[in-house]
Amino acid sequence: AITAIDSVSALRVSEGAPSTIRLYRWNPGSLSIGYNQKINSINQKYCLQENIPIVRRNTGGGGIYHSNVGDISYSITTLASKLPTDISISYQFLLSPLISAFKQLNIPVKLSTLSLPAICEPSCYLREIHPAHDLIVSGKKISGNAQKRSHDVVTQHGSITYSYDPQKIISIFSNSSISTKEVKNRITSISEQTNLGREHVIRVLSDSFIEWSNASVESWSEAEMESAKVIAKEKFSSDEWTFRL
């Protein structure tokens, strides 16, 4: 129900509920693929062997392996009217609490100023680096982000890399001939940049989001969770959705 919760949040915001920020982990670790991504770009046999569920997102972009320990995910759902009309500037605005958190962690992250060519097109972290929404450290990607806009509501979500397994990233995609060295030259992680533990990093991220938004910490209602379960069953868990391309 992880992806379905964003759908519930978008519906609630469109009905007048407050904007929502989520900071979460995937359990079990899963592969999320882009809205228009071809399923044959994924090594389904490997995912089956490794018990890695495949989930198709509502947003575009490449596939991301959300490790249960290596990935930190977030989403922000708000009315489009609350954001700058220029999409690139809206990314900058919504990424500002992440950049602030990285600054507190003494990690010199920034939006990429240059496009870098893809080395593995099906992979979010190994496809072309985009200046509008890719966060990098010394030329290496540490966070990928995407937006969905529907019915005057914007949902931006992203993956923050705490740690990663280069070989797993290669193995998940079909016909991938790149080396682990190439992966390491394109991706970095929080654990490579600092000795701080995952839980400390999450606290810093959470505090940064709260300070930026003046949000209060709340839980999903039973009705919202039930709605998410229904959406997950009828859409995100269905073969018709996952294998539609």
Side-chain angles (χ1 to χ4, degrees):
I2 281 182
T3 47
I5 291 174
D6 281 342
S7 297
V8 172
S9 179
L11 177 60
R12 295 282 291 115
V13 168
S14 72
E15 294 172 341
S19 302
T20 303
I21 300 173
R22 298 172 59 211
L23 194 60
Y24 59 97
R25 76 192 303 170
W26 294 69
N27 189 20
S30 303
L31 172 66
S32 75
I33 61 175
Y35 180 80
N36 289 316
Q37 187 162 359
K38 298 290 194 296
I39 195 66
N40 64 7
S41 68
I42 304 303
N43 186 341
Q44 296 177 62
K45 182 179 179 180
Y46 176 81
C47 290
L48 185 63
Q49 289 173 344
E50 297 296 313
N51 296 312
I52 300 172
I54 302 171
V55 181
R56 186 179 293 276
R57 303 188 302 270
N58 269 329
T59 55
I64 306 174
Y65 174 59
H66 302 275
S67 163
N68 182 251
V69 294
D71 174 86
I72 301 171
S73 290
Y74 80 92
S75 68
I76 303 171
T77 305
T78 191
L79 292 172
S81 60
K82 294 185 177 182
L83 299 176
T85 54
D86 183 283
I87 292 178
S88 293
I89 297 176
S90 75
Y91 269 111
Q92 293 174 26
F93 175 70
L94 294 175
L95 286 170
S96 60
L98 267 72
I99 294 172
S100 176
F102 277 113
K103 185 177 181 180
Q104 293 176 60
L105 296 168
N106 293 316
I107 299 175
V109 76
K110 64 178 182 178
L111 279 162
S112 177
T113 55
L114 298 172
S115 294
L116 295 175
I119 61 173
C120 179
E121 186 63 34
S123 167
C124 168
Y125 277 84
L126 301 176
R127 60 177 15 201
E128 180 184 5
I129 288 184
H130 198 293
H133 46 71
D134 286 333
L135 294 180
I136 63 168
V137 179
S138 301
K140 298 181 180 182
K141 188 168 177 175
I142 198 168
S143 175
N145 307 275
Q147 288 185 4
K148 175 179 173 57
R149 293 167 175 258
S150 179
H151 305 299
D152 299 321
V153 174
V154 176
T155 296
Q156 177 171 306
H157 62 186
S159 164
I160 303 161
T161 304
Y162 179 76
S163 62
Y164 69 100
D165 179 342
Q167 187 57 56
K168 182 160 284 190
I169 290 176
I170 295 169
S171 300
I172 276 174
F173 300 102
S174 301
N175 304 316
S176 181
S177 59
I178 59 175
S179 67
T180 56
K181 182 179 180 180
E182 288 177 290
V183 173
K184 291 177 180 178
N185 284 339
R186 178 57 68 91
I187 302 174
T188 189
S189 64
I190 292 173
S191 62
E192 289 176 345
Q193 300 292 326
T194 178
N195 293 323
L196 295 171
R198 176 187 167 92
E199 294 307 314
H200 177 84
V201 171
I202 290 172
R203 284 196 300 273
V204 171
L205 285 164
S206 178
D207 289 346
S208 185
F209 275 123
I210 290 171
E211 181 180 358
W212 171 74
S213 63
N214 196 30
S216 59
V217 179
E218 298 184 17
S219 299
W220 298 101
S221 69
E222 287 187 20
E224 288 167 335
M225 290 305 298
E226 283 303 315
S227 294
K229 289 177 183 177
V230 171
I231 294 171
K233 181 179 180 180
E234 295 181 351
K235 181 177 180 179
F236 293 107
S237 297
S238 71
D239 288 348
E240 289 80 7
W241 172 256
T242 304
F243 300 99
R244 67 186 183 84
L245 292 174

